[in-house]
Amino acid sequence: MKHTCPPIPYGRHWVDQEDITEVVNVLRSDWLTTGPRVEQFERQFAAAVSAEHAVALCNGTAALHAAMHVLGVGPGDEVLVPAMTFAATANAVLYQRATPVFVDVEPETLLIDTTDAQRKVTARTRALVAVDYAGQPCDYDALNDLARRHDLALVADACHSLGGTYRDRPVGTLADVTVFSLHPVKPITTGEGGMLTTMHASLAARAGRFRNHGIVQDLHRRQGDATWFYEQTELGHNYRLSDIQCALGISQIRKLGDWVTRRNQIAARYHQALAHHPAIEPLHVKGGVVHAYHLYVVRLTGAAGAARRESVFRALRASGIGVNVHYIPVHLHPYYRNHEGTRRGMCPAAEAAYEQILSLPVYPRMRNAEVDRVIETLLDILAEYRTFAA
Ligand SMILES: *Cc1c(COP(=O)(O)O)cnc(C)c1O
């Protein structure tokens, strides 16, 4: 079969003329980095998620690292991390010389299994990271309860779920610290970028220092008595986000509401066409949440398991459909097996899901005709596969 249609990616940014104008204005201004746009973007981002404080960082991974730092995670500490996530979630724990302890996920949602998390709490556990996998907010009432009972800090890795809500409360306000990614496939983009939100002024101030070498910015004092004066009070990094990038973010965040709505429409279209298929199981969505649908993930069920997923994946790619697999469970990566002593069998539900999952394309600019092309191609491939396997 010949395919003349352009390929459909699994995710894609949307940059329009308004975005371009905002960025070009900054290029013509006096500030390329750490000027007025950073604070403006932080204010607008905080307002968009109803958080008290927002701190812009150079990417989501740096924001995760900052989260670990401001919560005081350090050598000897353990941090509970779900196995089904991008490696950066656990890497941030290692950057602080602490130990990630992998927690299994619920098979129907691939969100952190609170029972398994509870079981893995020890005297050394310092923090718990919730990952809003695919864009679905975790059960934050249960997680906050668990965190309070064991005196743990709760971090939300909300890299997928900007624009989502849990029991009418926006993602960004549901944990002690929430972390977002602004990479082009994520809900909004600044090229590379990240954001940390919190309700605690002291944590926000500490994150602000951490992204700038650990330097205390006492601007009043600098402008008043000694313009050259600054002090480094702790060890930080250069994790800053530039004015150029923040200008793009300011323009992008205005579109967030419409884009989450569009992602939900696409998900509903997939769901209607696929949910009753005997070999397809979309992930379960719990009541009381607005799902941000960074990803639309299905499980390919039935006898052939991983072999079937592999052949369906290849056939879709060959037809120009950019499917993907999110994620290889982190504890199975060679680095973790070799350096952290993790092994297969530690998180059986995540491992089993990994053999079956497939992320279908979803991005705000995707048209219904493209969604339908994905659906038809997938159904054709499954029908062929069934005939072939029989
Ligand atoms: C994208 C992502 C990150 C890392 O964000 P970057 O901006 O790419 O550094 C971390 N965690 C999850 C769950 C992600 O999807």
Side-chain angles (χ1 to χ4, degrees):
M1 224 201 305
K2 267 184 76 178
H3 296 278
T4 46
C5 304
I8 298 174
Y10 94 82
R12 199 186 191 301
H13 60 271
W14 187 350
V15 169
D16 66 10
Q17 188 53 47
E18 189 187 16
D19 297 312
I20 293 166
T21 305
E22 289 275 2
V23 172
V24 169
N25 286 343
V26 169
L27 290 172
R28 295 205 166 103
S29 79
D30 290 338
W31 299 92
L32 297 186
T33 192
T34 319
R37 295 298 187 198
V38 179
E39 264 182 53
Q40 190 187 343
F41 182 38
E42 288 173 341
R43 263 198 320 276
Q44 291 181 1
F45 194 101
V49 304
S50 304
E52 287 289 325
H53 307 278
V55 179
L57 294 113
C58 58
N59 55 59
T61 306
L64 278 164
H65 186 187
M68 294 302 149
H69 175 81
V70 303
L71 294 169
V73 170
D77 291 338
E78 292 175 358
V79 177
L80 300 171
V81 175
M84 183 56 78
T85 185
F86 183 52
T89 315
N91 290 349
V93 177
L94 293 179
Y95 296 158
Q96 290 298 100
R97 302 183 197 287
T99 305
V101 173
F102 292 100
V103 177
D104 212 351
V105 292
E106 301 169 342
E108 317 79 44
T109 60
L110 306 189
L111 299 176
I112 191 165
D113 177 340
T114 43
T115 310
D116 194 44
Q118 160 102 49
R119 199 161 41 227
K120 285 172 176 165
V121 172
T122 73
R124 309 171 82 127
T125 311
R126 182 75 182 234
L128 162 63
V129 184
V131 174
D132 295 339
Y133 177 83
Q136 174 166 204
C138 295
D139 185 353
Y140 281 97
D141 283 349
L143 291 168
N144 273 297
D145 193 51
L146 177 67
R148 256 194 308 275
R149 274 204 316 276
H150 298 277
D151 196 23
L152 313 177
L154 180 60
V155 176
D157 179 339
C159 289
H160 297 181
S161 58
L162 175 59
T165 67
Y166 171 82
R167 299 190 175 159
D168 295 325
R169 285 175 280 150
V171 168
T173 63
L174 303 165
D176 295 307
V177 174
T178 304
V179 166
F180 299 92
S181 168
L182 308 175
H183 180 278
V185 296
K186 301 293 165 71
I188 66 162
T189 190
T190 57
E192 293 281 355
M195 193 66 82
L196 179 154
T197 63
T198 177
M199 294 310 201
H200 309 289
S202 59
L203 296 183
R206 200 163 180 212
R209 290 195 295 275
F210 188 67
R211 77 167 164 200
N212 192 33
H213 309 280
I215 287 172
V216 180
Q217 294 275 39
D218 191 345
L219 279 175
H220 271 290
R221 203 165 149 195
R222 285 186 73 177
Q223 280 161 4
D225 33 277
T227 49
W228 48 268
F229 189 80
Y230 67 87
E231 278 179 317
Q232 183 192 336
T233 55
E234 58 191 318
L235 186 63
H237 295 262
N238 179 352
Y239 278 172
R240 297 186 303 260
L241 193 64
S242 70
D243 264 41
I244 300 170
Q245 292 167 300
C246 288
L248 182 52
I250 288 164
S251 182
Q252 290 260 309
I253 193 100
R254 294 181 197 132
K255 293 149 182 157
L256 177 64
D258 287 347
W259 286 356
V260 171
T261 302
R262 180 60 192 147
R263 285 177 179 275
N264 273 273
Q265 287 169 351
I266 293 165
R269 204 171 180 93
Y270 277 138
H271 193 85
Q272 198 180 3
L274 303 176
H276 300 293
H277 192 283
I280 300 174
E281 234 173 63
L283 293 187
H284 178 69
V285 182
K286 296 180 180 183
V289 300
V290 170
H291 195 312
Y293 281 110
H294 163 57
L295 303 172
Y296 187 87
V297 177
V298 296
R299 292 178 75 139
L300 297 178
T301 55
R308 182 217 288 268
R309 198 273 307 276
E310 189 59 24
S311 56
V312 171
F313 178 93
R314 281 171 196 278
L316 282 164
R317 281 283 181 95
S319 308
I321 311 285
V323 284
N324 226 319
V325 173
H326 300 93
Y327 294 95
I328 300 167
V330 182
H331 67 290
L332 299 184
H333 284 300
Y335 180 85
Y336 279 89
R337 286 193 275 107
N338 295 336
H339 295 269
E340 294 296 311
T342 57
R343 59 189 188 282
R344 193 170 293 278
M346 281 181 141
C347 297
E351 292 164 24
Y354 163 58
E355 311 271 295
Q356 297 184 327
I357 47 180
L358 202 58
S359 304
L360 304 183
V362 48
Y363 46 94
R365 211 177 185 174
M366 192 177 188
R367 288 166 309 180
N368 285 343
E370 291 170 318
V371 181
D372 293 344
R373 197 175 123 208
V374 174
I375 292 167
E376 281 156 26
T377 313
L378 175 59
L379 293 178
D380 281 354
I381 289 166
L382 284 172
E384 244 171 76
Y385 189 82
R386 203 156 39 187
T387 324
F388 181 70

